[in-house]
Amino acid sequence: MAKTLIKNAWIINEGRSFKGSVMIDGKYIAGVYDEDALSGDSSRMVYGQERPAADVNVLDASGKWLLPGAIDDQVHFREPGLTHKGDIMSESRAAVAGGVTTYMDMPNTNPQTVTLDALEWKFRRASEVSAANYSFFFGGTNDNAPLTAKLDRKRVPGIKLFLGSSTGNMLVDREEALRRFFGETDMLIAVHAEKEDIIRRNKAFYTARYGENLDISFHPKIRSEEACYASSSEAVNLAEKLGTRLHLFHLSTAKELSLLDRGPLSGRRITGEACVHHLWFSDEDYRRYGNLIKWNPAVKTAEDRDALRRAVADDTIAVVATDHAPHLLAEKEGTCLTAASGGPLVQHSLPAMLDMAARGLFTPEKVVEKMSHHPADLYRIDRRGYIREGYYADIVLIDPDKPLTVSKENILYKCKWSPFEGYTFRHSVWKTYVNGLLIFSDGQVSAEATGMEIAYHSK
């Protein structure tokens, strides 16, 4: 495989930005060169000669930003069993088009990923078709806690527990089961935290008063701040009592931020994630977008949104992800009670975050930290998430001067819609490399399955 020198890029990595070059050799980054540390022509300095060797491809990235590929720790790619909405091939191609080079898929498929056989099936399928690097959470139920002892810690990122409404038998609500997951495994526990009995109580209250035909404005009232905080705080209390590494997925309220550990990420036991939709939208947007922005947990107030944005900027929030969960448009129709919850986001998460950075909400360096560095560190991923010599060459090149208007023509999700449709982002993804291979370039995705199973350090 020929080497590739990406030169004259503006590299954003590890809290700093500088003009430099990156050498790719096979799957790996062979060198990172800071122009300020070099004299003369960077390609000559890299090779110690006037011109690059014949087996080196040179890409002039002048004016472009070079970032480590984003790592999305929460996606629903819908395979197996729900592939009319999306599948591993279609959604991983959308991911790389958006600069996401690694993803961790959730277990609520059909069949659910709650057995070792179902987990292994997903790994095999991804090896055949995934454009991005992949991993899969194991789903907990009230009955399968003993299986966690058999999970390979170098392959599986953690245990996903639904503490609120879920499909099938994935609602974990028995005290004995929770204590086994929290107390008897050394793995990270990641939770969807909404208190089921509070949701039911709120639903009964509003339907008794207004009937069953509730519009979308009732969604955050039913799936309320109280429902979120009650569940999150119970999970945190149990984790603190039993010494569990706990990660709270898709936080949606300002109140929940008080539950999180602060300080260096390596020392935190209780961490939290914010999703792009909770950082972008508020309940004021329901009037315009309706069910298109119906998620669980619900998009809440502008005050909640602004608190989450500040929590990203001040490092209270550890990770930014998507909870990418495509549905057909027909499935998004109906009332607050009947329309499907979830939406497609993975193709537009990095442009959206960079757009918010351009508005001064946080810096591009902070975006890279939350979407690349911190997911790699939190999950102890082997040699990804950074632009470093010896790391896998998962690289994204951003054109900061080429806007992207989201349209049906450039949406790659299988469901063919986006809540961002019609919006123009200030930046666009120019090229994406996965394991050293150029998989996305100038709007086109390669048909190759270039993704690899990612590995974890167990300690």
Side-chain angles (χ1 to χ4, degrees), residues 67-87:
L67 320 176
I71 299 171
D72 195 327
D73 76 341
Q74 189 187 182
V75 304
H76 302 260
F77 280 0
R78 302 304 194 191
E79 192 167 4
L82 303 169
T83 54
H84 65 288
K85 305 171 190 277
D87 55 50

Side-chain angles (χ1 to χ4, degrees), residues 119-412:
L119 179 65
E120 194 59 42
W121 186 94
K122 278 191 172 182
F123 277 113
R124 286 197 302 270
R125 180 60 176 162
S127 72
E128 297 167 350
V129 301
S130 184
N133 304 311
Y134 51 87
S135 188
F136 300 95
F137 271 86
F138 186 76
T141 72
N142 280 323
D143 306 307
N144 73 347
L147 289 179
T148 61
K150 300 180 180 181
L151 296 174
D152 187 342
R153 272 60 171 164
K154 294 182 179 180
R155 301 183 75 202
V156 180
I159 310 298
K160 170 67 179 289
L161 300 182
F162 289 88
L163 307 184
S165 296
S166 180
T167 56
N169 69 334
M170 292 194 71
L171 174 62
V172 182
D173 57 359
R174 293 182 196 160
E175 183 70 19
E176 179 186 357
L178 287 171
R179 284 187 169 274
R180 291 201 68 176
F181 282 117
F182 277 69
E184 297 180 14
T185 178
D186 58 348
M187 300 183 73
L188 179 142
I189 303 294
V191 299
H192 176 138
E194 291 183 285
K195 192 72 171 172
E196 185 65 20
D197 58 355
I198 295 176
I199 294 171
R200 289 174 182 151
R201 184 192 71 199
N202 290 341
K203 179 180 175 181
F205 174 83
Y206 286 110
T207 53
R209 178 166 292 193
Y210 300 105
E212 297 284 337
N213 193 29
L214 300 175
D215 64 40
I216 187 60
S217 67
F218 287 92
H219 191 54
K221 298 173 184 176
I222 293 173
R223 290 180 171 269
S224 61
E225 176 194 78
E226 181 189 10
C228 292
Y229 184 80
S231 184
S232 295
S233 60
E234 286 181 6
V236 168
N237 289 338
L238 186 58
E240 289 178 339
K241 184 181 298 183
L242 299 177
T244 313
R245 288 177 61 215
L246 177 68
H247 187 53
L248 300 173
F249 275 150
H250 44 44
L251 294 174
S252 62
T253 73
K255 189 174 183 179
E256 290 170 287
L257 298 172
S258 65
L259 300 170
L260 303 177
D261 288 345
R262 268 69 167 184
L265 186 62
S266 60
R268 300 188 207 181
R269 303 289 294 180
I270 311 296
T271 54
E273 169 202 278
C275 286
V276 172
H277 49 285
H278 291 125
L279 297 169
W280 188 279
F281 300 106
S282 77
D283 59 0
E284 298 168 3
D285 295 307
Y286 284 126
R287 205 170 302 140
R288 176 179 178 185
Y289 294 98
N291 293 336
L292 296 184
I293 60 169
K294 184 188 177 204
W295 278 279
N296 298 339
V299 168
K300 296 185 175 65
T301 68
E303 290 76 16
D304 288 312
R305 179 200 62 195
D306 294 346
L308 291 168
R309 289 171 171 178
R310 290 191 296 271
V312 169
D314 70 14
D315 289 334
T316 302
I317 290 288
V319 169
V320 170
T322 64
D323 194 18
H324 172 87
H327 297 283
L328 299 185
L329 277 174
E331 295 170 323
K332 296 293 285 183
E333 295 175 356
T335 70
C336 156
L337 302 179
T338 61
S341 293
L345 282 170
V346 74
Q347 186 179 346
H348 303 110
S349 56
L350 182 56
M353 289 297 293
L354 292 173
D355 204 82
M356 285 187 271
R359 288 186 260 152
L361 299 176
F362 19 75
T363 65
E365 291 82 2
K366 188 63 64 178
V367 172
V368 171
E369 179 184 82
K370 300 303 176 188
M371 300 188 76
S372 302
H373 301 337
H374 275 191
D377 293 341
L378 177 68
Y379 290 96
R380 303 166 181 172
I381 298 174
D382 179 40
R383 290 173 293 167
R384 301 190 191 275
Y386 290 86
I387 303 298
R388 290 176 178 170
E389 184 176 345
Y391 274 52
Y392 289 98
D394 297 337
I395 290 171
V396 178
L397 288 160
I398 299 292
D399 190 334
D401 300 314
K402 184 179 180 181
L404 170 68
T405 301
V406 180
S407 68
K408 291 199 184 301
E409 289 69 35
N410 57 34
I411 290 171
L412 297 184

Side-chain angles (χ1 to χ4, degrees), residues 280 355 402-406 420-427:
W280 188 279
D355 204 82
K402 184 179 180 181
L404 170 68
T405 301
V406 180
F420 291 122
E421 196 168 335
Y423 185 83
T424 300
F425 293 113
R426 306 180 195 203
H427 316 77

